[in-house]
């Protein structure tokens, strides 16, 4: 309960910053967003280190430190996008906010399903196997989550590129998008292959050879497999958002979240931490199957519509 206020304040300030940085992303001004990113994220690290040296680092002080750096970054990026508090600007913001809610409601539901798919595993582990196993699961996630900058960065670019190419049709948008997706695959494959081949060495390097987290080689291998499926799925879902098919992305992630519940509970009861990781692999496999079906049908429909349109034009 002592963390609720700190969590809420940080979350609200961070969302303001997120809105401004996303504005820069939409304009493909990724370089312009870098100073704010440095202030926000590198600033968090520096303040956390300073608090640790003083002996004042707690979850609560860390969250307030994150609030301060996000607020500073929000001011900087707000200036960069030309945000104004003048009355006529605020009236327009209200109108735009209503339109964003209409468009973004599907994305909100999609992100909620994506988050719950993983959170279910932590909650089930804690309820069925005790409080220690969720910490081990998070330790494993920390390793594969080193791919997050690549996945998030590609997703941001793919969304914007596919949106700009969407005027030529969904198939044309995919032709513009898939080279970007393929560009990240070598890094992903090499990184995850190293984790699968040398999990003890990687865990020892990150946590220390004598850490209790150094003995979760099998879970980390399973999480690496799940991460590969997640990379493919999330990249195509970013494309879905770019071509105004957020409902399709929602279906994919909802299928994964719903599948997690019946899959995870018996596996966690039977195999504990390994069972949770197997459940994540299976849930991601469900997402991949649903993704393939929706993507194939959408491209086929778009191609057929384009062919029909060309035939009509020739007839005219």
């Amino acid at each position: 309960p002592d963390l609720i206020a700190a969590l809420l304040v940080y979350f609200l300030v961070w969302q303001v910053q997120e809105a401004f940085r996303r504005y820069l992303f939409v304009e493909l001004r990724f370089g312009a967003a870098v100073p704010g990113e440095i202030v926000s994220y590198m600033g968090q690290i520096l303040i956390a280190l300073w608090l640790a040296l003083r002996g004042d680092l707690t979850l609560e002080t860390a969250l307030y430190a994150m609030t301060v750096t996000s607020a500073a970054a929000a001011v900087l990026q707000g200036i960069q996008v030309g945000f104004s508090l003048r009355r006529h600007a605020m009236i327009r913001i209200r109108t735009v906010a209503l339109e964003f809610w209409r468009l973004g409601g599907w994305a909100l539901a999609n992100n909620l399903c994506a988050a719950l798919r993983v959170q279910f595993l932590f909650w089930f582990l804690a309820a069925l196997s005790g409080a220690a196993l969720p910490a081990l699961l998070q330790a494993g996630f920390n390793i594969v989550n080193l791919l997050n900058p690549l996945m998030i960065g590609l997703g941001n670019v793919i969304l914007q590129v596919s949106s700009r190419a969407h005027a030529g049709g969904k198939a044309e948008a995919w032709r513009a998008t898939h080279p970007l997706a393929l560009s990240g695959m070598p890094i992903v494959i090499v990184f995850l292959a190293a984790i699968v081949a040398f999990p003890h060495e990687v865990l020892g390097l990150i946590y220390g050879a004598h850490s209790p987290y150094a003995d979760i080689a099998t879970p980390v291998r399973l999480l690496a497999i799940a991460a590969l499926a997640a990379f493919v799925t999330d990249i195509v879902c970013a494309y879905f958002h770019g071509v105004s098919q957020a409902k399709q992305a929602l279906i994919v992630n909802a299928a994964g979240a719903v599948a997690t519940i019946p899959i995870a509970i018996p596996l966690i009861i039977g195999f504990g931490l390994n069972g949770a990781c197997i459940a994540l692999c299976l849930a991601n496999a469900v997402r991949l199957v649903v993704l393939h079906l929706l993507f194939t049908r959408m491209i086929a429909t778009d191609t057929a519509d384009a062919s029909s349109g060309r035939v009509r034009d020739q007839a005219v």
Side-chain angles (χ1 to χ4, degrees):
D2 295 339
L3 296 176
I4 291 176
L7 281 167
L8 290 176
V9 171
Y10 166 64
F11 181 77
L12 292 173
V13 173
W14 173 49
Q15 288 304 296
V16 173
Q17 184 214 346
E18 189 71 14
F20 290 141
R21 68 194 289 268
R22 292 284 173 174
Y23 188 105
L24 294 171
F25 291 171
V26 168
E27 295 187 334
L28 301 181
R29 296 168 60 191
F30 297 104
V34 169
E37 307 291 83
I38 292 173
V39 169
S40 177
Y41 300 111
M42 297 305 295
Q44 294 172 8
I45 296 172
L46 293 175
I47 294 179
L49 287 173
W50 177 70
L51 289 171
L53 291 173
R54 288 171 49 91
D56 295 326
L57 183 61
T58 65
L59 282 174
E60 186 175 11
T61 58
L63 286 166
Y64 282 123
M66 293 161 70
T67 301
V68 169
T69 59
S70 286
V75 171
L76 173 59
Q77 292 174 332
I79 293 171
Q80 288 176 298
V81 304
F83 178 73
S84 173
L85 290 175
R86 290 175 296 181
R87 179 173 174 77
H88 73 275
M90 295 304 294
I91 292 174
R92 183 172 179 273
I93 285 174
R94 284 194 291 269
T95 302
V96 172
L98 292 174
E99 178 67 9
F100 278 14
W101 179 255
R102 185 184 69 81
L103 293 172
W106 295 108
L108 176 62
N110 171 60
N111 289 334
L112 182 62
C113 287
L116 286 175
R117 177 175 48 84
V118 176
Q119 285 302 128
F120 282 151
L121 298 178
F122 286 98
W123 295 336
F124 292 158
L125 269 177
L128 299 172
S129 302
L133 290 188
L136 294 174
L137 179 61
Q138 184 61 59
F141 268 117
N142 289 344
I143 303 298
V144 298
N145 283 350
L146 290 172
L147 281 176
N148 278 356
L150 174 65
M151 295 174 67
I152 294 171
L154 277 176
N156 286 330
V157 176
I158 284 171
L159 192 154
Q160 310 306 335
V161 170
S162 59
S163 178
R164 289 168 180 247
H166 187 204
K170 295 178 177 60
E172 178 61 31
W174 178 245
R175 280 191 287 272
T177 297
H178 84 269
L180 293 169
L182 292 176
S183 69
M185 284 301 295
I187 299 173
V188 172
I189 291 172
V190 169
F191 177 78
L192 295 178
I195 292 176
V196 172
F198 309 105
H200 294 288
E201 290 78 3
V202 172
L203 288 163
L205 179 65
I206 300 297
Y207 294 117
H210 302 293
S211 168
Y213 299 140
D215 296 325
I216 56 172
T218 298
V220 166
R221 283 185 169 123
L222 292 168
L223 290 174
I225 296 170
L228 180 60
F231 175 81
V232 175
T233 306
D234 291 343
I235 288 300
V236 180
C237 282
Y239 159 79
F240 279 160
H241 282 284
V243 296
S244 301
Q245 295 295 312
K247 291 181 183 179
Q248 309 281 29
L250 172 59
I251 293 171
V252 170
N253 282 307
V258 171
T260 299
I261 298 174
I263 292 173
I265 292 176
L267 285 172
I268 290 173
I269 293 173
F271 303 101
L273 178 60
N274 287 341
C277 297
I278 294 170
L280 183 63
C281 291
L282 294 176
N284 279 351
V286 170
R287 294 171 73 215
L288 271 177
V289 171
V290 175
L291 177 79
H292 174 71
L293 295 174
L294 293 176
F295 177 80
T296 302
R297 186 177 65 181
M298 185 184 72
I299 294 297
T301 301
D302 182 73
T303 303
D305 290 344
S307 298
S308 299
R310 285 194 295 269
V311 170
R312 285 195 299 269
D313 291 343
Q314 291 171 358
V316 171

